[in-house]
Amino acid sequence: MIPPRDKTWYPEQNKIMINERLSQMLGFKTPDDAIHQKVRFSAWDEFTGEIIGVVKNYHQRSLRDSYEPAILFLWRLRSMAINFNAHSY
């Protein structure tokens, strides 16, 4: 994992972490290039977040499945991850 640059990570500050797969899909050449960039997405509501870290890819379901893009953030003081499919963005 590339550690967050900002140690304060509160939901009202819209700080997010993404995995390497999403970093590549968003067009960043290296994970470091993604740091401090803004990403806008829609889950249940429109949300813009600043990328503060890029985590290594991990299998979210089965070891047989390929890595999927993911965003990690705090929501109401609980962590949450959102998985994407090819049609999500």
Side-chain angles (χ1 to χ4, degrees):
M1 176 183 138
I2 294 177
R5 301 277 197 265
D6 182 355
K7 299 295 184 195
T8 59
W9 190 30
Y10 301 106
E12 64 272 12
Q13 293 178 327
N14 296 338
K15 307 290 186 184
I16 62 173
M17 295 176 69
I18 63 174
N19 68 349
E20 291 173 328
R21 177 69 180 117
L22 182 56
S23 176
Q24 294 167 349
M25 289 177 75
L26 292 172
F28 299 113
K29 292 183 180 181
T30 68
D32 274 333
D33 292 341
I35 304 298
H36 295 300
Q37 299 300 315
K38 305 255 189 215
V39 176
R40 193 175 102 205
F41 65 95
S42 178
W44 55 90
D45 205 358
E46 286 285 322
F47 179 86
T48 300
E50 178 187 354
I51 300 169
I52 61 167
V54 178
V55 298
K56 292 280 188 188
N57 290 322
Y58 59 93
H59 294 280
Q60 298 172 28
R61 294 191 180 102
S62 167
L63 294 176
R64 294 182 184 131
D65 293 338
S66 60
Y67 295 124
E68 297 178 358
I71 293 178
L72 302 110
F73 62 97
L74 289 176
W75 182 68
R76 295 187 183 175
L77 300 179
R78 294 189 173 126
S79 62
M80 178 177 284
I82 296 178
N83 299 332
F84 291 84
N85 62 41
H87 305 290
S88 291
Y89 75 108

